[in-house]
Amino acid sequence: MTDTDVTGAAVDLEVPETVEQARVGFRAWMTEHGAELEQFRRTGGEVAEIFERLRLLQRMLFDAGWIRLGWPTEMGGLGGAPILRSIISEELAAAGYPPPFSFATQEVLGPAVAEFARPELAAHVLPRLLSGQETWCQGFSEPGAGSDLASLRLKAVAVEGGWRVSGEKIWTSWAQLADRCVLLARTGAVDSGHRGISAFLLDMDTPGITVSLLRSMNGDDEFCSLFFDNVFIPEDRLLGEPDGGWAVTMHVLAGERGAAAWQRQIWLRSRLDDLAATGGVDDEVLGESYELLMALRVLSRRTVRALSAGDPVGSTTSLDKLAMSTAEKFLFDAALSGAADEVVLGSTETGSDGAWRNDYLYSRASSIYGGAAEIQRNIIAERLLGLPR
Ligand SMILES: Cc1cc2nc3c(=O)[nH]c(=O)nc-3n(C[C@H](O)[C@H](O)[C@H](O)COP(=O)(O)OP(=O)(O)OC[C@H]3O[C@@H](n4cnc5c(N)ncnc54)[C@H](O)[C@@H]3O)c2cc1C
């Protein structure tokens, strides 16, 4: 694929002025392309297969212009308000299609790279992310630096033309499939805390990086350990300022706790409908699950609107993240109580391919990734409620 394939393609799509117009237009497009889209309705299969299938869906949405809405034109987007991006996953889910694999990455890492990368770098890499030509991973956590991220130790030493990086990352999702990594490294003194961290956009095929798979309890090889042995990062790959990586970190976490929660609630809502259709769960439990999802929807809608308007979201995304993990765990606990065979045995009697089992197990992670629930509670208590530490 050439550069012009992803950056310069002209599309027929006129940028909608309102969310409602975008919704109506996208629905009409899906109806018109129903026959081509049918192949994407299928779920299940090996990770690599799902990944490839959804990459094609993403490319189709990119070529038609839909996932270029709300991104700056100089980065491969079509312009318009960022909130236009929020309806695509929602309408895909409502029509029964899964969201493309890297939608969450787009909302978590994309905005930070758009904000902090040099303009030439953003113009080069963003279209590749949006079109599905590339996937990115998030190299934040380390053994000993998860909740206490500011204590991370992966060391970046300034050298002629860039930095040399040595150390280790862990729990990096889908790094084995990633082309690039938003990486946090210590550029200040060992005890410099959050003031001595820099952020980089690193190419994953750089010599000196070893990716080692870690199997998660649902059987997927989602996680990786990354080992860095004197890895060179050119200076133009710095995001933001030297030692200014904490600002990038906060930007990424706002996306991970806020915009990603919006996308997650859409998918959770479709799973609640699936669960109700099994007929195995009490109406009262379904009702409570619905209430929790609506609370999450209202909270994350506020965040998505604020992010779109460029308003600071601050610590309020911790409310979204906590509401998300509470709703997700409640929903799949309900599945366990009402469809135990499916969850415990991964039964395929209803043709679910073990999806309930997988989703139940994955729901346990919702109160860990993006900052554990206890950490979100601490942030809410201290920064939103003003309680003592
Ligand atoms: C599915 C999944 C995907 C992930 N993907 C990525 C990724 O792509 N990139 C990445 O960098 N990381 C990723 N992570 C890692 C994730 O960010 C960390 O697991 C998380 O931040 C918690 O850190 P930790 O695992 O080191 O646990 P710890 O920080 O050791 O915490 C252990 C327990 O102690 C509690 N705790 C710790 N400190 C406090 C405190 N001050 N007050 C109260 N309780 C506390 C925590 O809440 C938790 O229950 C992923 C994790 C999961 C589960």
Side-chain angles (χ1 to χ4, degrees), residues 138 140-141 146-147 171-173 222-223 362 365 368-369 372 374-375 378:
Q138 180 182 344
F140 284 19
S141 306
S147 301
W171 314 129
T172 323
S173 297
E222 164 165 352
F223 300 127
Y362 202 85
I368 303 174
Y369 63 77
E374 292 78 6
I375 300 306
N378 282 348

Side-chain angles (χ1 to χ4, degrees), residues 227-240:
F227 301 96
F228 296 79
D229 181 12
N230 212 22
V231 173
F232 180 69
I233 309 184
E235 59 193 355
D236 64 356
R237 293 314 186 86
L238 180 72
L239 301 175

Side-chain angles (χ1 to χ4, degrees), residues 53-116:
R53 190 163 67 234
L54 296 184
R55 194 204 286 270
L56 294 178
L57 172 58
Q58 186 166 339
R59 184 63 202 242
M60 194 175 160
L61 295 168
F62 181 86
D63 288 343
W66 293 107
I67 51 178
R68 296 169 67 185
L69 292 177
W71 290 96
T73 47
E74 56 278 20
M75 299 171 195
L78 296 179
I83 199 157
L84 297 176
R85 307 201 297 249
S86 66
I87 61 116
I88 305 298
S89 339
E90 191 171 26
E91 293 303 322
L92 281 173
Y97 305 113
F101 204 84
S102 81
F103 262 27
T105 315
Q106 278 177 39
E107 288 303 332
V108 173
L109 301 177
V113 169
E115 174 81 17
F116 291 98

Side-chain angles (χ1 to χ4, degrees), residues 140-204:
F140 284 19
S141 306
E142 295 178 9
S147 301
D148 186 13
L149 190 58
S151 69
L152 64 84
R153 297 196 310 192
L154 180 99
K155 185 79 186 140
V157 179
V159 294
E160 175 82 35
W163 282 266
R164 288 265 170 202
V165 176
S166 295
E168 186 179 347
K169 292 285 170 186
I170 196 168
W171 314 129
T172 323
S173 297
W174 311 117
Q176 74 275 35
L177 302 169
D179 301 284
R180 303 185 208 261
C181 177
V182 174
L183 184 76
L184 298 181
R186 181 149 309 282
T187 38
V190 179
D191 59 356
S192 56
H194 70 275
R195 291 191 183 81
I197 291 171
S198 298
F200 302 93
L201 185 67
L202 168 71
D203 290 351
M204 287 297 285

Side-chain angles (χ1 to χ4, degrees), residues 15-334:
V15 179
E17 277 174 28
T18 65
V19 167
E20 212 34 52
Q21 277 175 12
R23 208 183 276 290
V24 170
F26 186 51
R27 279 184 195 162
W29 181 86
M30 281 194 293
T31 306
E32 198 186 323
H33 293 84
E36 288 159 83
L37 288 169
E38 197 51 38
Q39 57 179 312
F40 303 117
R41 210 178 277 285
R42 193 164 64 85
T43 54
E46 290 296 311
V47 165
E49 187 197 327
I50 301 171
F51 192 81
E52 274 313 312
R53 190 163 67 234
L54 296 184
R55 194 204 286 270
L56 294 178
L57 172 58
Q58 186 166 339
R59 184 63 202 242
M60 194 175 160
L61 295 168
F62 181 86
D63 288 343
W66 293 107
I67 51 178
R68 296 169 67 185
L69 292 177
W71 290 96
T73 47
E74 56 278 20
M75 299 171 195
L78 296 179
I83 199 157
L84 297 176
R85 307 201 297 249
S86 66
I87 61 116
I88 305 298
S89 339
E90 191 171 26
E91 293 303 322
L92 281 173
Y97 305 113
F101 204 84
S102 81
F103 262 27
T105 315
Q106 278 177 39
E107 288 303 332
V108 173
L109 301 177
V113 169
E115 174 81 17
F116 291 98
R118 282 158 208 243
E120 311 80 59
L121 179 62
H124 181 72
V125 297
L126 255 301
R128 288 167 167 70
L129 178 71
L130 298 182
S131 65
Q133 186 184 345
E134 286 188 1
T135 52
W136 300 354
C137 63
Q138 180 182 344
F140 284 19
S141 306
E142 295 178 9
S147 301
D148 186 13
L149 190 58
S151 69
L152 64 84
R153 297 196 310 192
L154 180 99
K155 185 79 186 140
V157 179
V159 294
E160 175 82 35
W163 282 266
R164 288 265 170 202
V165 176
S166 295
E168 186 179 347
K169 292 285 170 186
I170 196 168
W171 314 129
T172 323
S173 297
W174 311 117
Q176 74 275 35
L177 302 169
D179 301 284
R180 303 185 208 261
C181 177
V182 174
L183 184 76
L184 298 181
R186 181 149 309 282
T187 38
V190 179
D191 59 356
S192 56
H194 70 275
R195 291 191 183 81
I197 291 171
S198 298
F200 302 93
L201 185 67
L202 168 71
D203 290 351
M204 287 297 285
D205 60 0
T206 311
I209 305 173
T210 305
V211 178
S212 170
L213 297 178
L214 299 166
R215 181 148 298 178
S216 53
M217 69 175 168
N218 65 355
D220 283 343
D221 290 330
E222 164 165 352
F223 300 127
C224 299
S225 277
L226 304 181
F227 301 96
F228 296 79
D229 181 12
N230 212 22
V231 173
F232 180 69
I233 309 184
E235 59 193 355
D236 64 356
R237 293 314 186 86
L238 180 72
L239 301 175
E241 300 295 322
D243 291 338
W246 202 244
V248 182
T249 309
M250 290 299 110
H251 211 284
V252 169
L253 291 181
E256 191 169 10
R257 294 169 184 170
W262 169 260
Q263 295 194 342
R264 195 81 181 156
Q265 60 86 25
I266 294 165
W267 175 75
L268 291 172
R269 183 57 222 285
S270 71
R271 293 302 273 150
L272 175 60
D273 291 346
D274 296 342
L275 186 61
T278 65
V281 181
D282 286 350
D283 284 352
E284 211 172 302
V285 176
L286 291 172
E288 195 167 342
S289 185
Y290 180 78
E291 277 174 20
L292 289 169
L293 283 174
M294 283 303 111
L296 169 61
R297 184 176 173 81
V298 170
L299 280 169
S300 63
R301 186 170 60 185
R302 183 179 66 174
T303 302
V304 168
R305 284 186 176 162
L307 288 170
S308 179
D311 295 338
V313 289
S315 308
T316 59
T317 54
S318 290
L319 294 169
D320 306 18
K321 180 68 194 356
L322 193 56
M324 189 198 93
S325 56
T326 306
E328 182 161 345
K329 284 183 156 178
F330 187 93
L331 171 62
F332 291 106
D333 282 343

